[in-house]
Amino acid sequence: MNRYDAFLIKYAEIGIKGKNRHVFEEALVRQIRIALRPCEGHFNVIRTYGRVFVEAKSEFDFEEVTEALSHVFGIWGICPVAVHDLMPLEELSKTAAAFMREEYPQGSHTFKVRTRRMNKEYPQDSLEINAELGHAVLEACPNLSVDVHTPEVTLCVEIREKLYIYSQVIPGPGGLPVGVGGKCMLLLSGGIDSPVAGYMVAKRGVRIDAVYFNAPPYTSERALQKVIDLAREISVYTGPIRLHNINFTEIQLYIYEQCPHDELTIIMRRYMMRIAERLAMENECLGLITGESIGQVASQTLAALAVTNEVCTLPVFRPLIGFDKEEIVRVSKKIGTYETSILPYEDCCTIFVAKHPVTKPRAEVIRKHEHNLDEKIEEMVERAIANDDIINISNYRPQQ
Ligand code: ATP
Ligand code: MG
């Protein structure tokens, strides 16, 4: 038997006051439901009294549920709650003391009691209840002592039509619930950076679609599988992702044939951006996201970024722009994408690379060389988009 019946979800109040509050809460409830789908057990996720509750309707695995909830953006803290029918104060004292004994079986901690009595029919007021419960806990738990000013733990008791008892707060990931901020198209490669970039933008409440430029047969099935795996790994945070798998081979070969080789990467990246923007606009995305960071490679010098950027009208979000590789690696390890990212499969950027790519491309020169593509590039871009292979990614694998 679990000693908890529910989880009280605490969220940062910033930005959610006023008219937007219900939008925020609805998105949070939706994302929590998605996150709980793969978990054993049945749950009710409800908004009540201006807060969000996850009620367990069956047995569940505590670790599995708290792990799933700890990936939901917008959650500041997760409080496991014991729910009881109303009971007289004497019995409540015993119940609360037993709860604390189980919560803190060892180690010394300071605590205080905080009662909120919303149900005014309960005979004693919150001060009386605090005092009574404090005594009972002290008696039952010799390892706890009172500190009303800066306690390490707070025993919270809420008296409504039922009794809610909790004291632990498991940290959530912060941020805003995915869905409150619209949607963006992430250029997702198999590398370390782009999954982290997607995670960071999703953390601000933005839903993610993704596009992967694939170059079969130069890139293998394994390379595609790696990108699918990465998308699945970030979907634990972002919720379901529609991954557009775009066959880029013919465009890449054509650029290779027609343009100076030291400009291949930059021209190729301009076509990636153009196609990504088309897909974004067709799918109600309000911007693009890349994993670029200033100076990381030749195609990410300021000059190269500017030349890549000029082909887009949608904003391009580059959340890693000021990050060192080491910092990016740290986040990728934290979110669990690193091990997949370092698998050694070819990416379309690593084939046909020039020995000395331009680091200071000039837009007018690049534009001029792109005219070498005029004859066929339009139809190739149309074909690539028409053959878009959409893969639906979610964290949910139905049980057999
Ligand atoms: P990453 O680690 O994300 O692959 P990178 O350091 O390899 O980045 P580049 O190859 O220059 O850097 O790519 C820069 C950005 O362009 C990537 O972060 C990604 O957003 C996008 N990108 C690169 N290759 C592809 C691809 N094959 N499909 C989709 N997007 C790509
Ligand atoms: Mg890459």
Side-chain angles (χ1 to χ4, degrees):
M1 253 311 265
N2 252 300
R3 69 171 178 279
Y4 307 113
D5 311 286
F7 295 87
L8 169 63
I9 304 301
K10 298 210 162 174
Y11 39 83
E13 295 282 318
I14 303 160
I16 58 160
K17 297 251 191 266
K19 280 189 294 206
N20 285 333
R21 189 183 177 111
H22 76 280
V23 177
F24 178 99
E25 288 179 345
E26 276 160 21
L28 187 60
V29 166
R30 195 170 51 240
Q31 293 306 117
I32 290 174
R33 287 189 180 134
I34 292 171
L36 290 175
R37 272 187 217 158
C39 298
E40 295 270 349
H42 297 286
F43 305 92
N44 263 352
V45 187
I46 48 171
R47 289 165 58 199
T48 170
Y49 317 120
R51 45 180 50 189
V52 170
F53 263 103
V54 175
E55 290 179 343
K57 290 286 158 202
S58 66
E59 287 291 302
F60 62 94
D61 179 338
F62 180 79
E63 298 297 327
E64 186 184 45
V65 170
T66 48
E67 163 86 10
L69 292 174
S70 71
H71 291 133
V72 179
F73 292 132
I75 295 183
W76 175 81
I78 304 150
C79 307
V81 183
V83 183
H84 294 275
D85 289 331
L86 290 180
M87 55 179 87
L89 184 55
E90 197 179 330
E91 204 182 331
L92 172 57
S93 302
K94 287 190 191 131
T95 306
F99 180 81
M100 289 299 270
R101 204 167 45 225
E102 282 195 81
E103 293 279 271
Y104 307 100
Q106 57 207 10
S108 54
H109 305 277
T110 57
F111 81 102
K112 79 168 181 184
V113 184
R114 195 180 65 214
T115 303
R116 295 172 72 188
R117 189 182 60 132
M118 283 72 167
N119 182 344
K120 298 298 174 203
E121 280 167 23
Y122 199 81
Q124 291 82 9
D125 70 18
S126 47
L127 288 182
E128 280 173 81
I129 301 168
N130 284 347
E132 193 62 32
L133 299 196
H135 283 302
V137 172
L138 278 177
E139 226 161 79
C141 312
N143 57 327
L144 302 186
S145 57
V146 172
D147 179 347
V148 288
H149 300 296
T150 50
E152 289 161 33
V153 299
T154 301
L155 167 61
C156 300
V157 176
E158 295 187 10
I159 301 174
R160 303 176 186 270
E161 85 292 357
K162 286 193 178 256
L163 278 169
Y164 299 83
I165 303 176
Y166 59 94
S167 94
Q168 276 188 66
V169 187
I170 299 160
L176 300 171
V178 169
V180 294
K183 189 163 68 165
C184 278
M185 181 66 70
L186 168 66
L187 284 87
L188 181 63
S189 65
I192 294 173
D193 307 325
S194 44
V196 172
Y199 161 88
M200 288 183 66
V201 175
K203 187 172 180 196
R204 299 308 304 161
V206 174
R207 210 138 44 88
I208 302 289
D209 270 1
V211 52
Y212 170 57
F213 295 95
N214 199 356
Y218 302 96
T219 57
S220 63
E221 269 298 305
R222 301 292 297 275
L224 171 62
Q225 188 55 47
K226 178 181 172 181
V227 173
I228 293 173
D229 290 345
L230 286 170
R232 185 168 290 134
E233 283 159 9
I234 59 169
S235 78
V236 170
Y237 292 94
T238 63
I241 295 177
R242 272 156 56 92
L243 173 65
H244 301 262
N245 176 25
I246 296 287
N247 186 322
F248 202 53
T249 313
E250 146 176 273
I251 294 173
Q252 251 185 307
L253 289 173
Y254 190 45
I255 299 171
Y256 189 72
E257 267 167 38
Q258 302 292 329
C259 300
H261 287 185
D262 61 348
E263 292 170 7
L264 279 183
T265 307
I266 198 90
I267 294 177
M268 198 179 79
R269 296 204 42 74
R270 281 161 63 99
Y271 277 95
M272 283 187 184
M273 298 300 263
R274 288 180 173 113
I275 293 173
E277 177 165 270
R278 281 273 303 272
L279 293 173
M281 286 173 166
E282 285 168 16
N283 290 280
E284 287 113 38
C285 295
L286 301 175
L288 303 178
I289 307 165
T290 76
E292 290 159 314
S293 152
I294 296 172
Q296 198 187 76
V297 287
S299 58
Q300 296 177 28
T301 60
L302 274 187
L305 288 171
V307 173
T308 313
N309 205 63
E310 75 156 15
V311 302
C312 296
T313 54
L314 283 180
V316 181
F317 301 115
R318 300 178 170 91
L320 308 182
I321 201 71
F323 276 39
D324 293 344
K325 196 75 188 185
E326 212 182 293
E327 294 169 301
I328 302 171
V329 164
R330 203 178 312 138
V331 183
S332 87
K333 285 183 175 164
K334 185 183 86 178
I335 66 175
T337 51
Y338 182 73
E339 295 302 327
T340 308
S341 288
I342 58 173
L343 294 173
Y345 307 118
E346 290 291 302
D347 175 66
C348 74
C349 295
T350 48
I351 55 175
F352 313 123
V353 284
K355 283 206 187 65
H356 302 289
V358 281
T359 52
K360 287 189 187 144
R362 289 190 15 231
E364 61 281 10
V365 176
I366 299 292
R367 271 185 237 134
K368 189 175 126 221
H369 291 148
E370 275 183 356
H371 281 301
N372 301 352
L373 305 170
D374 282 350
E375 195 188 331
K376 294 191 190 154
I377 196 72
E378 279 302 310
E379 59 181 276
M380 287 182 175
V381 166
E382 290 307 324
R383 198 158 35 237
I385 292 172
N387 292 334
D388 179 6
D389 167 28
I390 298 177
I391 304 166
N392 286 305
I393 309 277
S394 81
N395 65 345
Y396 180 50
R397 266 154 281 166
Q399 281 139 15
Q400 262 88 46

